[in-house]
Amino acid sequence: MTEQTRIDWLLERFLTRVPETVAALLTSPDGLLQANAHFTEEQAETMAAIVSGQYSLAGGATRVLDPHGQGAVRQIVVEHDAYVLFVMSAGAGLVPGQPAPAGEDPETVSTLLGVATTSEADAGLVGHEAALLAGALGEHLVIPTRRGSDDTQATA
């Protein structure tokens, strides 16, 4: 079983196990789709950009509300009459834009998990199960930082 197949399978299993969930995806913080379950290809690409954008906006609010950087965005919930969208950091990587702690690889960033549910979903259950899913995926959710072909490293 390939890593991609394993991740897709875990997303599918999550949707089967958690009542009222409709679809789920994993994306990089800059919107690059990593895995998808139950979204069409077009929906998944669009939702990856939305999830990324929502997380980025929440990070901006955090920088205003918490100027000393004492915390990080854990979850964003978008409620609609017919659905709920949960967005959360899911990877074991570093928070984009934050300095790397000693011993951590500064070339990694966290993966984001987006979960769509019906409006009838139990938010506490979805949040709990999504956290368990993130833990199950662990090291598979760290994405290397992309660099342009013209990036150069400074030398001392």
Side-chain angles (χ1 to χ4, degrees):
M1 180 179 292
T2 68
E3 288 304 315
Q4 184 62 46
T5 303
R6 175 176 155 72
I7 292 171
D8 290 346
W9 178 80
L10 286 170
L11 287 177
E12 291 283 345
R13 188 170 152 213
F14 169 82
L15 294 175
T16 301
R17 189 178 68 251
V18 182
E20 303 298 327
T21 54
V22 176
L25 62 78
L26 294 170
T27 183
S28 67
D30 60 354
L32 180 63
L33 182 65
Q34 300 297 311
N36 168 39
H38 294 209
F39 284 116
T40 66
E41 187 175 329
E42 184 177 338
Q43 288 173 330
E45 293 292 336
T46 301
M47 288 304 297
I50 290 168
V51 164
S52 169
Q54 287 289 322
Y55 194 80
S56 179
L57 287 170
T62 298
R63 286 185 288 282
V64 172
L65 298 170
D66 182 19
H68 302 293
Q70 300 299 312
V73 175
R74 288 190 303 266
Q75 180 172 284
I76 302 145
V77 179
V78 178
E79 292 185 71
H80 180 272
D81 290 338
Y83 70 88
V84 180
L85 174 64
F86 295 84
V87 175
M88 63 187 63
S89 177
L94 306 173
V95 177
Q98 297 294 317
E104 295 291 323
D105 181 1
E107 300 299 314
T108 61
V109 295
S110 294
T111 299
L112 303 174
L113 172 64
V115 177
T117 72
T118 69
S119 61
E120 303 299 315
D122 178 334
L125 177 63
V126 172
H128 174 75
E129 291 291 335
L132 292 176
L133 173 64
L137 293 171
E139 72 275 5
H140 307 294
L141 297 181
V142 177
I143 301 170
T145 303
R146 289 195 301 252
R147 299 197 182 285
S149 60
D150 61 347
D151 282 350
T152 58
Q153 291 200 337
T155 57

